Amino acid sequence: MSPPEYRPGSKDDFDRLYEATYPRLFGTLAAMLRDHAATEDCVQEAYLRAFRAWPRWKADAPVGAWLHRIAINVALSYRRRERLRDVAELVRRLGTPPPIDPADALQTPELLQELRALPPKQAAALVLRHVHGYTSREIALALGIPERTVASRLMAARARLRVRLRFRESESGTRAG
């Protein structure tokens, strides 16, 4: 069975799109933002922006990729704003932050922790490929980048994860998975 056709500007089709894509979109942004409330806010903002742009959507690209592109841009903007606000607030209140206790860093599963340490654009590419199973072409459309850039981001993210996990191994004296 082929995926349903969507008509740009159709409210019924947008409602159907929302129902069909919400779980995947939420999962993608949850992996990027790591905060349930922020994820909900960003997903809703993404759907609001998509609804406003819905009459202009061109059916020449997969609608899921178009929607992911909007959502990822919303999440990246959110992370930039949060990072600036958090750093400014902490410095204002506490001065320079104390060093991170390594014992605290090990309380989350190591792969997820290391995925979160990646640059957001690399993490987005990895999540879209390995969690959601998108092809390089679909990821390129979702992120608004060339397919070759997708490949380089995936390669850089994998290399970075490998190095970070090896370092973690050597620090703890154990073999990772």
Side-chain angles (χ1 to χ4, degrees):
M1 183 173 175
S2 65
E5 297 281 329
Y6 293 101
R7 295 175 317 247
S10 165
K11 184 188 176 324
D12 290 337
D13 284 354
F14 192 83
D15 290 345
R16 203 164 37 95
L17 175 67
Y18 179 88
E19 293 293 324
T21 59
Y22 187 90
R24 287 183 91 178
L25 205 63
F26 189 91
T28 299
L29 296 192
M32 289 178 67
L33 299 172
R34 304 173 308 273
D35 176 275
H36 189 79
T39 300
E40 286 178 344
D41 290 347
C42 287
V43 168
Q44 292 307 312
E45 176 66 23
Y47 278 109
L48 179 62
R49 290 182 187 187
F51 184 75
R52 288 179 182 148
W54 186 235
R56 296 182 308 277
W57 171 66
K58 302 281 190 264
D60 59 346
V63 71
W66 172 76
L67 193 53
H68 267 87
R69 180 179 185 179
I70 292 170
I72 288 168
N73 285 336
V74 168
L76 290 173
S77 294
Y78 173 85
R79 282 188 65 176
R80 276 191 294 271
R81 282 191 312 272
E82 283 299 299
R83 199 173 297 128
L84 289 173
R85 189 173 74 224
D86 289 349
V87 169
E89 181 65 19
L90 278 175
V91 169
R92 187 181 66 76
R93 283 184 172 182
L94 308 172
T96 305
I100 296 172
D101 181 356
D104 292 341
L106 296 174
Q107 291 179 358
T108 61
E110 72 180 28
L111 184 58
L112 185 56
Q113 183 179 354
E114 295 303 334
L115 180 63
R116 290 174 178 165
L118 289 175
K121 291 177 180 179
Q122 289 180 8
L126 269 180
V127 168
L128 290 173
R129 168 60 56 81
H130 296 290
V131 175
H132 296 300
Y134 280 109
T135 65
S136 291
R137 181 177 186 276
E138 291 168 332
I139 295 169
L141 288 168
L143 300 178
I145 57 176
E147 279 186 67
R148 288 182 183 185
T149 303
V150 171
S152 67
R153 283 187 187 171
L154 287 169
M155 190 170 28
R158 288 180 191 129
R160 191 176 195 139
L161 278 176
R162 239 181 263 117
V163 167
R164 291 182 63 90
L165 290 173
R166 280 190 194 125
F167 176 75
R168 183 183 283 257
E169 258 179 43
S170 69
E171 289 287 306
S172 68
T174 62
R175 294 276 311 160

